[in-house]
Amino acid sequence: MMERKLTEARWTHIALPSCDLDKAIEFYTTMTPLVVVSRHEDKDGRNAWLSNDKQVETPFVLVLVEFAKDRGRQQPQLSPFAHLGIEMPNREDVDRIAAEARETGCLHWEPTELPPPVGYVCALKDPDGNVVEISHNQRVFEEVRTRWGS
């Protein structure tokens, strides 16, 4: 049986805002080899996770997010929400990286626990100002492996 839980640091996803999630899903599932892994919704909006069909060994996910307050309003690429995501196997890893980033002045978001499917996260800014999210218990890796693993 394939291990489904994260056991090492891994680059897991990139997130992009979407002004119309349904149109974005249609585009990516028609024009690229991506398929919908799962969808999530709450009072603030909805999102979809897309990846290569049954990409179990090294899943990488495109997360498309439609915020209810922004529906219908285009947002530029690499806007304040867009980020590169790295998932860590331990909560302590997030705290350790956040502490290092705080010391060097590149901490963008303090560590915080957010509702599922987000988990425990902090974010950094790279030298160019790009946002890099560091997370634990976000379960992107685990969810894909659970769905498609043997």
Side-chain angles (χ1 to χ4, degrees):
M1 180 174 186
M2 182 177 298
E3 180 67 32
R4 294 194 173 145
K5 297 222 180 224
L6 189 70
T7 59
E8 61 186 73
R10 182 174 300 274
W11 186 20
T12 59
H13 69 283
I14 185 168
L16 298 173
S18 173
C19 68
D20 185 323
L21 186 61
D22 296 325
K23 284 184 180 178
I25 290 169
E26 180 180 326
F27 173 83
Y28 282 102
T29 59
T30 301
M31 302 299 291
T32 76
L34 300 180
V35 298
V36 174
V37 175
S38 63
R39 297 172 190 239
H40 306 96
E41 186 169 350
D42 63 25
K43 66 178 177 56
D44 296 319
R46 57 196 183 122
N47 68 64
W49 294 359
L50 291 82
S51 187
N52 292 95
D53 193 22
K54 297 177 178 50
Q55 184 180 10
V56 176
E57 285 300 316
T58 57
F60 187 79
V61 175
L62 170 61
V63 178
L64 300 171
V65 181
E66 178 189 276
F67 294 104
K69 67 180 180 57
D70 295 328
R71 180 160 171 65
R73 190 179 76 188
Q74 290 184 325
Q75 297 178 47
Q77 292 181 0
L78 301 176
S79 67
F81 177 77
H83 63 271
L84 302 177
I86 301 172
E87 190 171 358
M88 306 302 291
N90 301 300
R91 184 181 178 100
E92 296 78 18
D93 295 327
V94 175
D95 290 330
R96 176 182 49 77
I97 292 168
E100 291 173 18
R102 199 178 296 112
E103 285 181 25
T104 61
C106 68
L107 186 64
H108 183 55
W109 307 327
E110 286 290 337
T112 188
E113 185 72 43
L114 295 171
V118 180
Y120 188 60
V121 300
C122 74
L124 322 174
K125 279 199 172 182
D126 75 10
D128 294 303
N130 295 306
V131 177
V132 179
E133 177 192 79
I134 307 298
S135 69
H136 168 68
N137 205 28
Q138 196 163 66
R139 298 188 302 264
V140 172
F141 180 86
E142 181 181 340
E143 185 166 333
V144 171
R145 287 224 163 166
T146 297
R147 186 168 302 270
W148 294 326
S150 57

